[in-house]
Amino acid sequence: MSLRPSLDQPGFSAGKRSRLRRILHQHGLCNGTALFLPYDQGLEHGPRDFFANPAASDPAYIIRLAIEGRFNGIVLQIGLAEKFFWDYAGEVPLVLKLNGKTDIPPDANALSPLHANVEDAVRLGADAVGYTMYVGTPAQESDFEQFHRVREDAQRLGMPLIVWAYPRGSAIEAKGGKNSFYAVDYAARTASELGADIVKVNFPHPELRDGVKEPYRAEFSSQQAIDAVVRSANRTLLLVSGGERAGDEAMLEKARESMEAGATGLIWGRNVWQRQQHESLDFVARIQEILAKYPSDS
Amino acid sequence: MSLRPSLDQPGFSAGKRSRLRRILHQHGLCNGTALFLPYDQGLEHGPRDFFANPAASDPAYIIRLAIEGRFNGIVLQIGLAEKFFWDYAGEVPLVLKLNGKTDIPPDANALSPLHANVEDAVRLGADAVGYTMYVGTPAQESDFEQFHRVREDAQRLGMPLIVWAYPRGSAIEAKGGKNSFYAVDYAARTASELGADIVKVNFPHPELRDGVKEPYRAEFSSQQAIDAVVRSANRTLLLVSGGERAGDEAMLEKARESMEAGATGLIWGRNVWQRQQHESLDFVARIQEILAKYPSDS
Amino acid sequence: MSLRPSLDQPGFSAGKRSRLRRILHQHGLCNGTALFLPYDQGLEHGPRDFFANPAASDPAYIIRLAIEGRFNGIVLQIGLAEKFFWDYAGEVPLVLKLNGKTDIPPDANALSPLHANVEDAVRLGADAVGYTMYVGTPAQESDFEQFHRVREDAQRLGMPLIVWAYPRGSAIEAKGGKNSFYAVDYAARTASELGADIVKVNFPHPELRDGVKEPYRAEFSSQQAIDAVVRSANRTLLLVSGGERAGDEAMLEKARESMEAGATGLIWGRNVWQRQQHESLDFVARIQEILAKYPSDS
Amino acid sequence: MSLRPSLDQPGFSAGKRSRLRRILHQHGLCNGTALFLPYDQGLEHGPRDFFANPAASDPAYIIRLAIEGRFNGIVLQIGLAEKFFWDYAGEVPLVLKLNGKTDIPPDANALSPLHANVEDAVRLGADAVGYTMYVGTPAQESDFEQFHRVREDAQRLGMPLIVWAYPRGSAIEAKGGKNSFYAVDYAARTASELGADIVKVNFPHPELRDGVKEPYRAEFSSQQAIDAVVRSANRTLLLVSGGERAGDEAMLEKARESMEAGATGLIWGRNVWQRQQHESLDFVARIQEILAKYPSDS
Amino acid sequence: MSLRPSLDQPGFSAGKRSRLRRILHQHGLCNGTALFLPYDQGLEHGPRDFFANPAASDPAYIIRLAIEGRFNGIVLQIGLAEKFFWDYAGEVPLVLKLNGKTDIPPDANALSPLHANVEDAVRLGADAVGYTMYVGTPAQESDFEQFHRVREDAQRLGMPLIVWAYPRGSAIEAKGGKNSFYAVDYAARTASELGADIVKVNFPHPELRDGVKEPYRAEFSSQQAIDAVVRSANRTLLLVSGGERAGDEAMLEKARESMEAGATGLIWGRNVWQRQQHESLDFVARIQEILAKYPSDS
């Protein structure tokens, strides 16, 4: 994949590079691609996400699923990491999610406060940290200031920094919404400009055109859109998120287009664990068939 | 009680574990259950709570009640702890409540500021600290940032951290209110995700369905609801609060259901001390009969 | 006075106790009661308070009045303390008022910012510090956080902390106003819960019942009200403020009721110095006749 | 001038006293009076103030004017002080203005942020620092907190602190405006209570009575008003500002009344430099004739 | 150019002077003029700016353009500087842009948060830092406080500080808009008063008169306007920005007028790179013909 950024960049310190190689080349398919299992929905949406498969309410079940499914990493908030990761330490890389919020109050001025520091990630043996940046939120001053401190700590400690680059807030709603090509493209670029090592984005929807800026009002295929988003992220590795559970075939098609565009991988939660365990593992196998087609040496 | 989390978790440091064993196995019934006496109502509601039993206005009276009733801990704000705990130090564990507020201004953006630090708790010989988190408040950024600092200090000093996980604020009012199954379940999970050792919740009311998220609109028994809440808290020990004084039999039934679900214990104030002393002690004896049926080794 | 808290409490450190003994037993009547002269009205209300007696505009005049009238302490803001106290240092105890504000902007979200620290009080040889807490203000988070830092410093340095516990703000106005029994009782309790050594309150008005919480809607005499307020303050010493100038006999009757209830003393400014000097001293003599009837050994 | 505060006050540390003597007794008329040249209008109002005399746009021109006119000090913001003062260091005392703002956004919640610290003043060889306090602004909490830090630094470093005590904001507008006797009197007192060494005020206008507090609704001459303002400032040295350019005779009459009342001097900018250089110097000579009549020894 | 400020000012420390000489005399035309290539539009406007020339989306392309076009510096945000500058370090001076924001939320209270510190610039081998100050924004307190910290760091580390002095916000919109002579003139002065070494301004439009302050309502030519702006910046070096892409001849005429007025140079991005590479280089050559006519020795 010539478009996919490699780990051979002078911008990665030795610490970041060794941890990223562990994630991308010593776990999962060990071929430079990545499949992450995010598990912060209990905080972001509440336990309602677990009603489809009550077993998924148990963090231990999810971590075991990540191990059995050969994921490249499991994403946890500090509380669950403290209580459950020790039991499985060394079996699957931990991505410590540093910030998060409930979805109870309105999202117009969305801001995701910090619950843990990069130092916590080091102490817990994590191989990366995650930060949700609400691109376009009216609270962007606070968001960027908070991210600034996280970026500095991540750099000082050689910890890879994954940015959940999520368009959000009242102004985004008025300009095409959070899944428009315009919004996703801008979000990917913002993460890259501000210092993300990896950026997680929603799959762009070029058909969402109401209120978007001029050049995005033209016709684009979804492949053109995800290609552009990967270009906007330039040397920042890109992951495509899954979002709410959708049809398997549509999801796999998105995966194919994303990898074709030069994405490094996927980060899918509810589409994986909102079903019985064996169905989860079957679905993961189908995802990995796709990832296997996009190896890279570094 | 297979569902009740034990103290044999690697997530508890030696400091937290030794203090929790003191509370759960060396006080009260010494059987791993807990009955706490909270006494911060003078700040949270004002002296009006003491009119039913004027003696209860005196902190010394309340601490003696906790000792005579073999409570597992007494909960005080810093001012009363400084003035009254010395006289009884070593006779009953102290839970230093770190934050609190008056109920005079409106609750729409509720936030409970810190009055003391974990260091104060160490200095006073307390065995745990308490923190009120208003889950769902529009002020959640400030609340979570404040909690972040408390969690770090508690971890550094090996001090068990009890979170009063209280749904609160304008958005909660619009989504079923603070006692709905939806809100209580989300609150328990939030505390666990963010790093509570123990979480205190209101007893869930599944019949409060107006405005709650989809899966909570179905029919649930109160036993099903409290079972789910305990599951959402996973390895976080759970205490059920008493709230305003209600009928004794209804309260005791709640206690039974809570313990059956896997709760570690109860934290009841007004239901205990808003009556004459001998009546308080009689009622405590009936609570302890229930707790005695749910022993655990660790 | 069995109800009046003594200085023989383990909650007072050696530093606090030695300074309080200096104030209560080595100045004024030396009998454990207190009469303080507050002089921060130039900031709180502006120079308009001095038009009744222009000499009172001069801080030196006021400090000399405090010395001649054998007051237990003079209360000054940092600027006047720096400029004027040196001349009289050692002749009358200084209470350094740490915060204050003008009354020009509206009071709906009242908050009183800090102008000096406890360290300034130590440096100036003060024997106590004063802090205005606006109980019930919508800005209570900021107020309590600020107080938290002051309490810690006062504790670390052994400096007695007097809290001006003033109900204030839009919510108080809607619930009976700042002088209702409900509000004053709650304010006294709040100061005690949060760590005041001494609390200064307005004399409670049980006849102000509009909007107050239930139990305060009953009939109470003013003696019953002040008795309850002293009880709510428990081991916190209580001072009753004078407020705007009123009739002498009514004021003296309040003084009597307050001391009878167990107050430690009075803190009266405008009622004292808004008249000619000899009249001020005559009035002080009448106050001290009352205080003389309420001696205590410690 | 018996009413004018002297430098022989124990409230002045050795550092403050030596710098004040340099300003008041070793520059200008060397007689204890002061004439300052303020030059922060480029920030406070923008370059529009320089159109009347374009040469005045050049800081070097203004500093030379201060030297030729034998001013007691020149007032500059940090940027101009860094760029221009070195050339003239030692020839005229520098007052480093620490805060300032543009007049572009509305003034309803006026607050003037810090651009430099007292340490910068020490490093640049300044003999005093200036701070604008917007007395009565709804942002008074932030203003007072900011001033608090400045006062502490000034005290620690022995640097005289001049407070521009400016009534400002929506509440002041509703209570007689920023030039009323009520507002100016309150502002002078506030600066003194909070720790100013020198206070700069507008000349009071007793005829502005709409909305002012009671005692200020009576008739006062301008001499009575400025007398009262000097009294309210007590031991704080007082400077009267010039404001917008007005008629020379009216300005000189204000100067006379101010000095008669006990002011230490004047701080006039636009009235001086919004004319040709020789006219400026002629006008300065007339001001100094007045100042020469009010010498003091210390 | 007698009006152009030289580097022989005592206000420049050795560190600032050596870095400025590197930029102005050892790169570009090496004649004391400057042409900078700004590349933060991906953050400020999003990837939409790259649709005119998709190659411009790639930071490596842009840096190579700066090198081939003999620019005096390339301006990057921290993320792109970290990822791309190493490859070209030493070939073109780096200006690290310290703050920035997206243009998604409304601009009424514009504030540009910090993403990097001056220390980052030192570590990356940058020769200057850039800071966007929104002159006239209602958020000016936060902006100025943030700038204050940056100025101190820049001074401590000898790093030249370029201020993007951009009139912005609701009050500016009501007073002639961000490009009026009034607004640009005030912005240049503000940067100089607050400590900029170099100020970047929009070219002033004297014909925008609606709502501007009095003296700006008169007729001025664009040459008169830019002359005045350079004078308002006094010893602060001035750069004129390009803004949105416009006609080449009009742009070059602006360049001529700016240099004639005493500007040090230009900082043009979209006008340069929103066309094919060879066209970019041709246009740059025409700009440099103009700059070549305005050499200075220091």
Side-chain angles (χ1 to χ4, degrees):
Chain A
M1 286 301 91
S2 61
L3 288 175
R4 193 189 311 156
S6 98
L7 298 186
D8 296 341
Q9 300 180 28
F12 290 131
S13 65
K16 289 191 175 195
R17 194 159 178 259
S18 69
R19 288 184 170 99
L20 286 173
R21 293 190 77 167
R22 200 174 306 149
I23 291 172
L24 294 174
H25 291 282
Q26 296 162 12
H27 281 87
L29 300 184
C30 301
N31 72 341
T33 65
L35 179 63
F36 289 94
L37 191 62
Y39 188 63
D40 60 347
Q41 295 84 356
L43 173 62
E44 297 288 340
H45 312 137
R48 65 184 161 100
D49 277 9
F50 307 132
F51 279 61
N53 174 23
S57 170
D58 180 8
Y61 168 89
I62 294 289
I63 301 177
R64 283 192 302 263
L65 185 65
I67 294 168
E68 290 177 44
R70 294 170 61 211
F71 277 78
N72 295 74
I74 172 86
V75 182
L76 298 174
Q77 285 282 351
I78 182 71
L80 301 189
E82 295 275 6
K83 293 181 184 87
F84 291 92
F85 186 64
W86 189 92
D87 295 333
Y88 307 98
E91 299 189 62
V92 61
L94 172 65
V95 178
L96 186 67
K97 187 78 195 313
L98 300 181
N99 63 346
K101 64 171 191 58
T102 74
D103 68 354
I104 300 171
D107 237 12
N109 298 290
L111 178 66
S112 188
L114 291 173
H115 305 299
N117 299 329
V118 181
E119 280 82 356
D120 289 304
V122 173
R123 177 172 54 82
L124 286 165
D127 282 315
V129 291
Y131 180 92
T132 296
M133 176 185 285
Y134 286 128
V135 177
T137 172
Q140 72 179 334
E141 289 95 12
S142 304
D143 200 349
F144 288 167
E145 280 171 17
Q146 188 173 255
F147 177 72
H148 181 183
R149 298 196 306 270
V150 169
R151 182 192 59 73
E152 285 187 336
D153 287 344
Q155 188 162 302
R156 181 169 51 84
L157 296 164
M159 181 64 67
L161 172 50
I162 309 178
V163 171
W164 272 235
Y166 279 1
R168 200 65 55 94
S170 50
I172 284 290
E173 288 314 303
K175 294 182 179 174
K178 62 188 181 181
N179 293 317
S180 73
F181 175 21
Y182 161 66
V184 173
D185 202 23
Y186 203 156
R189 183 74 183 196
T190 299
S192 179
E193 295 256 350
L194 301 189
D197 296 308
I198 304 182
V199 60
K200 176 197 185 197
V201 295
N202 292 332
F203 195 89
H205 285 251
E207 73 279 9
L208 296 172
R209 293 195 192 91
D210 276 6
V212 304
K213 292 279 179 179
E214 182 50 59
Y216 296 94
R217 290 189 199 150
E219 292 271 339
F220 297 96
S221 69
S222 61
Q223 185 67 59
Q224 286 175 312
I226 186 69
D227 284 355
V229 170
V230 169
R231 247 187 348 255
S232 289
N234 48 76
R235 290 188 177 166
T236 305
L237 281 59
L238 188 135
L239 303 175
V240 175
S241 66
E244 288 184 30
R245 190 169 172 193
D248 285 4
E249 299 312 316
M251 290 301 297
L252 293 169
E253 178 56 24
K254 275 190 199 178
R256 245 173 248 118
E257 290 183 2
S258 300
M259 296 309 294
E260 196 61 36
T264 292
L266 307 165
I267 175 163
W268 290 5
R270 284 168 286 173
N271 279 281
V272 169
W273 48 252
Q274 281 187 341
R275 46 180 121 199
Q276 298 302 307
Q277 189 187 5
H278 65 96
E279 292 177 40
S280 296
L281 293 172
D282 289 350
F283 184 57
V284 167
R286 294 190 62 192
I287 300 170
Q288 287 170 337
E289 276 176 37
I290 297 169
L291 297 183
K293 295 178 186 156
Y294 298 90
S296 65
D297 290 341
S298 64
Chain B
M1 285 302 91
S2 61
L3 288 175
R4 193 189 312 157
S6 99
L7 297 185
D8 296 341
Q9 298 180 29
F12 290 130
S13 65
K16 289 191 176 195
R17 193 158 179 261
S18 69
R19 287 183 171 100
L20 286 173
R21 292 189 78 167
R22 199 174 306 148
I23 291 173
L24 295 174
H25 291 280
Q26 296 163 13
H27 282 88
L29 300 185
C30 302
N31 72 341
T33 65
L35 179 63
F36 289 95
L37 191 62
Y39 189 63
D40 60 347
Q41 295 84 356
L43 173 63
E44 297 289 339
H45 312 137
R48 66 183 160 100
D49 278 7
F50 307 132
F51 280 61
N53 174 22
S57 170
D58 179 8
Y61 169 88
I62 294 290
I63 301 177
R64 283 192 301 264
L65 185 64
I67 294 168
E68 290 178 44
R70 294 169 62 211
F71 278 77
N72 295 73
I74 171 87
V75 182
L76 298 174
Q77 286 281 351
I78 183 72
L80 301 189
E82 295 276 7
K83 293 182 184 86
F84 290 91
F85 186 64
W86 188 93
D87 295 334
Y88 308 98
E91 299 189 63
V92 60
L94 171 65
V95 177
L96 186 68
K97 186 80 195 311
L98 300 181
N99 64 345
K101 64 172 192 57
T102 74
D103 69 353
I104 300 170
D107 238 11
N109 297 290
L111 177 66
S112 187
L114 291 173
H115 305 299
N117 299 330
V118 181
E119 280 82 356
D120 289 305
V122 173
R123 178 173 53 81
L124 287 165
D127 282 313
V129 291
Y131 180 91
T132 296
M133 175 185 285
Y134 286 128
V135 177
T137 172
Q140 72 179 334
E141 288 95 12
S142 305
D143 201 348
F144 288 167
E145 280 170 18
Q146 187 174 255
F147 178 72
H148 181 183
R149 298 196 306 273
V150 168
R151 182 191 60 73
E152 285 187 336
D153 286 345
Q155 188 161 300
R156 180 170 52 82
L157 296 165
M159 181 64 68
L161 172 50
I162 308 178
V163 172
W164 272 234
Y166 279 1
R168 200 65 55 94
S170 50
I172 284 288
E173 288 313 305
K175 294 181 180 175
K178 62 188 180 181
N179 293 316
S180 73
F181 174 21
Y182 162 66
V184 173
D185 201 24
Y186 203 156
R189 183 73 181 197
T190 298
S192 179
E193 296 256 349
L194 300 189
D197 297 309
I198 304 182
V199 58
K200 176 197 184 195
V201 295
N202 292 332
F203 194 88
H205 284 252
E207 74 279 10
L208 296 173
R209 293 195 191 90
D210 276 6
V212 303
K213 293 278 180 179
E214 182 50 58
Y216 296 95
R217 291 188 199 150
E219 292 271 339
F220 297 96
S221 68
S222 60
Q223 185 68 56
Q224 285 176 313
I226 186 68
D227 283 354
V229 170
V230 169
R231 243 182 357 250
S232 290
N234 49 75
R235 289 189 177 167
T236 305
L237 281 59
L238 187 135
L239 303 176
V240 175
S241 67
E244 288 185 29
R245 189 168 172 194
D248 284 3
E249 299 312 315
M251 290 302 295
L252 294 170
E253 178 55 25
K254 274 190 199 178
R256 246 172 247 119
E257 289 183 2
S258 299
M259 297 308 293
E260 195 63 35
T264 292
L266 307 165
I267 175 162
W268 289 5
R270 285 169 285 173
N271 279 282
V272 168
W273 47 253
Q274 282 186 341
R275 49 179 118 198
Q276 298 302 308
Q277 189 187 5
H278 65 97
E279 293 176 41
S280 295
L281 292 172
D282 289 349
F283 184 56
V284 167
R286 293 190 63 193
I287 300 170
Q288 286 169 335
E289 275 175 38
I290 296 170
L291 297 183
K293 294 178 188 156
Y294 297 90
S296 64
D297 287 342
S298 64
Chain C
M1 286 301 91
S2 59
L3 288 175
R4 194 190 309 157
S6 99
L7 298 185
D8 296 342
Q9 298 180 29
F12 291 130
S13 66
K16 289 192 174 193
R17 193 155 180 263
S18 69
R19 287 183 171 100
L20 286 172
R21 292 190 78 166
R22 200 174 307 147
I23 292 173
L24 295 174
H25 291 281
Q26 296 162 13
H27 281 87
L29 300 185
C30 302
N31 72 341
T33 66
L35 179 63
F36 290 95
L37 191 62
Y39 188 63
D40 59 347
Q41 296 84 356
L43 173 62
E44 298 288 339
H45 313 137
R48 66 184 161 100
D49 278 7
F50 308 132
F51 279 61
N53 174 23
S57 170
D58 179 7
Y61 168 88
I62 294 289
I63 301 176
R64 284 193 300 265
L65 184 64
I67 294 168
E68 291 178 44
R70 294 170 61 213
F71 278 79
N72 296 73
I74 172 88
V75 182
L76 298 174
Q77 286 280 352
I78 183 73
L80 301 189
E82 295 276 7
K83 293 180 184 87
F84 291 91
F85 186 64
W86 189 93
D87 296 334
Y88 308 98
E91 300 189 62
V92 60
L94 171 66
V95 177
L96 185 68
K97 187 79 195 310
L98 299 181
N99 64 345
K101 64 172 193 56
T102 74
D103 69 353
I104 300 171
D107 238 11
N109 298 289
L111 178 66
S112 187
L114 290 174
H115 306 299
N117 299 329
V118 181
E119 280 81 356
D120 289 305
V122 174
R123 176 172 55 81
L124 287 164
D127 282 313
V129 291
Y131 180 91
T132 296
M133 176 185 286
Y134 286 128
V135 177
T137 172
Q140 72 179 335
E141 288 94 12
S142 305
D143 200 347
F144 288 167
E145 280 170 18
Q146 187 174 256
F147 178 72
H148 181 181
R149 298 196 305 272
V150 169
R151 182 192 59 73
E152 285 187 336
D153 287 345
Q155 188 161 302
R156 180 170 52 85
L157 296 164
M159 181 64 68
L161 172 48
I162 308 179
V163 172
W164 272 235
Y166 278 1
R168 200 65 55 94
S170 51
I172 284 289
E173 288 314 304
K175 295 181 179 173
K178 62 187 180 182
N179 293 316
S180 74
F181 175 21
Y182 161 67
V184 173
D185 202 22
Y186 203 157
R189 183 74 183 198
T190 298
S192 180
E193 295 256 350
L194 300 188
D197 296 309
I198 304 182
V199 59
K200 176 197 185 196
V201 295
N202 292 332
F203 195 88
H205 285 251
E207 73 279 11
L208 296 172
R209 292 194 193 93
D210 276 5
V212 303
K213 292 278 179 177
E214 181 49 59
Y216 297 94
R217 291 189 198 149
E219 292 271 340
F220 297 96
S221 69
S222 61
Q223 185 67 57
Q224 286 175 312
I226 187 69
D227 284 354
V229 170
V230 169
R231 245 186 349 254
S232 290
N234 47 77
R235 289 189 177 167
T236 305
L237 280 59
L238 189 137
L239 304 174
V240 175
S241 67
E244 288 183 30
R245 190 170 172 194
D248 285 3
E249 299 313 315
M251 290 301 296
L252 294 170
E253 177 56 24
K254 275 191 199 178
R256 246 173 247 118
E257 289 183 0
S258 300
M259 297 308 294
E260 195 62 36
T264 292
L266 307 166
I267 175 161
W268 289 5
R270 285 169 286 173
N271 278 282
V272 168
W273 48 253
Q274 282 186 341
R275 48 180 119 198
Q276 298 302 307
Q277 188 187 6
H278 66 95
E279 292 175 41
S280 296
L281 293 172
D282 289 349
F283 184 56
V284 167
R286 293 191 62 194
I287 300 170
Q288 287 169 336
E289 276 175 38
I290 297 169
L291 297 183
K293 294 178 188 157
Y294 297 89
S296 64
D297 289 341
S298 65
Chain D
M1 285 302 92
S2 60
L3 287 176
R4 194 189 311 157
S6 98
L7 299 186
D8 297 342
Q9 298 180 30
F12 291 131
S13 66
K16 290 192 175 193
R17 193 156 179 262
S18 68
R19 288 183 170 100
L20 286 172
R21 294 189 77 165
R22 200 173 308 147
I23 292 172
L24 295 174
H25 292 281
Q26 296 163 13
H27 281 87
L29 300 185
C30 302
N31 72 341
T33 66
L35 180 62
F36 290 95
L37 192 62
Y39 189 63
D40 60 348
Q41 295 85 356
L43 173 62
E44 298 288 340
H45 312 137
R48 66 185 160 98
D49 277 7
F50 308 132
F51 279 61
N53 175 23
S57 170
D58 179 7
Y61 169 89
I62 294 289
I63 302 177
R64 284 192 300 265
L65 185 65
I67 294 168
E68 291 177 44
R70 295 169 63 211
F71 277 78
N72 296 73
I74 171 87
V75 182
L76 298 173
Q77 285 282 351
I78 182 73
L80 301 188
E82 296 275 7
K83 294 182 183 84
F84 291 91
F85 186 64
W86 188 93
D87 296 334
Y88 308 98
E91 299 189 63
V92 61
L94 171 65
V95 177
L96 185 68
K97 187 78 195 309
L98 299 182
N99 64 345
K101 63 172 193 59
T102 74
D103 69 352
I104 300 171
D107 238 11
N109 298 290
L111 178 66
S112 187
L114 290 174
H115 305 299
N117 299 330
V118 181
E119 280 81 356
D120 289 304
V122 173
R123 176 173 55 81
L124 288 164
D127 282 314
V129 291
Y131 180 92
T132 296
M133 176 184 287
Y134 286 129
V135 177
T137 172
Q140 72 179 336
E141 288 94 14
S142 304
D143 200 347
F144 288 167
E145 280 170 18
Q146 187 173 256
F147 177 73
H148 182 182
R149 297 195 305 271
V150 169
R151 181 190 60 72
E152 285 187 335
D153 287 344
Q155 187 161 303
R156 181 169 52 86
L157 295 164
M159 181 64 68
L161 172 49
I162 308 179
V163 172
W164 273 234
Y166 278 1
R168 200 66 54 94
S170 50
I172 284 289
E173 288 314 303
K175 294 182 180 175
K178 63 188 179 181
N179 293 317
S180 74
F181 174 21
Y182 162 66
V184 173
D185 201 22
Y186 203 156
R189 183 74 183 197
T190 298
S192 179
E193 295 256 350
L194 301 189
D197 296 309
I198 303 181
V199 59
K200 176 197 185 196
V201 295
N202 292 331
F203 194 89
H205 284 251
E207 73 279 10
L208 296 172
R209 293 195 193 92
D210 276 5
V212 303
K213 292 278 179 179
E214 181 50 58
Y216 296 94
R217 290 188 199 150
E219 292 271 340
F220 297 96
S221 70
S222 61
Q223 186 67 56
Q224 286 175 312
I226 187 67
D227 284 355
V229 170
V230 170
R231 244 186 351 253
S232 289
N234 48 76
R235 289 188 177 167
T236 305
L237 280 60
L238 188 137
L239 303 174
V240 175
S241 66
E244 288 184 30
R245 190 171 171 193
D248 285 4
E249 300 312 317
M251 290 301 295
L252 293 169
E253 178 57 23
K254 274 191 201 180
R256 246 173 248 118
E257 288 183 3
S258 300
M259 296 308 292
E260 196 62 37
T264 292
L266 307 165
I267 175 161
W268 290 5
R270 286 168 286 172
N271 279 282
V272 169
W273 47 252
Q274 281 187 339
R275 48 180 120 199
Q276 298 301 308
Q277 189 187 6
H278 65 96
E279 292 176 41
S280 295
L281 293 172
D282 289 351
F283 184 56
V284 166
R286 294 191 63 195
I287 299 169
Q288 287 169 337
E289 276 176 37
I290 296 169
L291 296 183
K293 293 177 187 156
Y294 297 88
S296 64
D297 290 340
S298 65
Chain E
M1 283 302 90
S2 61
L3 286 175
R4 194 190 312 156
S6 99
L7 298 186
D8 297 341
Q9 298 179 29
F12 291 130
S13 66
K16 289 191 175 195
R17 195 158 178 260
S18 69
R19 287 184 171 98
L20 286 172
R21 294 190 76 166
R22 200 175 308 148
I23 291 173
L24 294 173
H25 291 281
Q26 296 162 13
H27 282 88
L29 301 184
C30 302
N31 72 341
T33 66
L35 179 63
F36 289 95
L37 191 62
Y39 188 62
D40 60 347
Q41 295 85 354
L43 173 62
E44 297 288 340
H45 313 137
R48 66 184 161 98
D49 277 8
F50 307 131
F51 280 61
N53 174 22
S57 171
D58 180 7
Y61 169 89
I62 294 289
I63 301 177
R64 284 191 300 265
L65 185 65
I67 293 168
E68 291 177 43
R70 294 169 62 212
F71 277 78
N72 297 73
I74 170 86
V75 182
L76 299 173
Q77 284 283 351
I78 181 73
L80 302 188
E82 295 275 6
K83 294 182 184 84
F84 291 91
F85 186 64
W86 188 93
D87 295 334
Y88 308 98
E91 298 189 63
V92 60
L94 171 65
V95 178
L96 185 68
K97 186 79 195 311
L98 300 182
N99 63 346
K101 65 172 192 59
T102 75
D103 69 354
I104 301 171
D107 238 11
N109 297 290
L111 178 66
S112 187
L114 290 173
H115 305 299
N117 300 330
V118 181
E119 280 82 356
D120 289 304
V122 173
R123 177 173 54 81
L124 287 164
D127 282 314
V129 291
Y131 180 92
T132 296
M133 176 185 286
Y134 286 128
V135 176
T137 172
Q140 73 179 334
E141 288 95 11
S142 304
D143 200 347
F144 288 167
E145 280 171 18
Q146 187 173 255
F147 177 73
H148 181 183
R149 297 195 306 271
V150 169
R151 182 192 59 73
E152 285 186 335
D153 286 345
Q155 188 161 303
R156 181 170 51 85
L157 295 164
M159 181 63 69
L161 172 49
I162 309 179
V163 171
W164 272 234
Y166 278 3
R168 200 64 54 95
S170 50
I172 285 289
E173 288 315 303
K175 294 181 180 176
K178 63 188 180 182
N179 293 316
S180 74
F181 174 22
Y182 161 67
V184 173
D185 202 23
Y186 203 156
R189 183 75 184 197
T190 298
S192 179
E193 295 256 351
L194 301 189
D197 296 308
I198 303 182
V199 59
K200 176 197 185 196
V201 295
N202 292 331
F203 195 88
H205 285 252
E207 73 279 10
L208 296 172
R209 292 195 192 91
D210 276 5
V212 304
K213 292 279 178 178
E214 182 50 58
Y216 296 95
R217 289 186 200 152
E219 293 270 340
F220 297 97
S221 69
S222 61
Q223 186 67 57
Q224 286 175 314
I226 186 68
D227 285 355
V229 170
V230 169
R231 242 183 357 250
S232 289
N234 48 77
R235 289 187 176 166
T236 305
L237 280 60
L238 188 136
L239 304 174
V240 175
S241 66
E244 288 183 31
R245 191 170 171 193
D248 285 4
E249 299 313 316
M251 289 302 295
L252 294 168
E253 178 57 23
K254 273 191 202 178
R256 247 173 247 116
E257 289 183 2
S258 300
M259 296 309 292
E260 197 61 37
T264 292
L266 307 165
I267 174 162
W268 289 5
R270 284 168 287 172
N271 279 281
V272 169
W273 49 253
Q274 281 187 341
R275 46 180 121 198
Q276 297 302 308
Q277 189 189 3
H278 65 96
E279 293 176 41
S280 295
L281 293 171
D282 289 350
F283 184 57
V284 167
R286 294 190 64 194
I287 300 169
Q288 287 170 336
E289 276 175 37
I290 297 169
L291 297 183
K293 294 176 188 156
Y294 297 89
S296 65
D297 290 340
S298 65

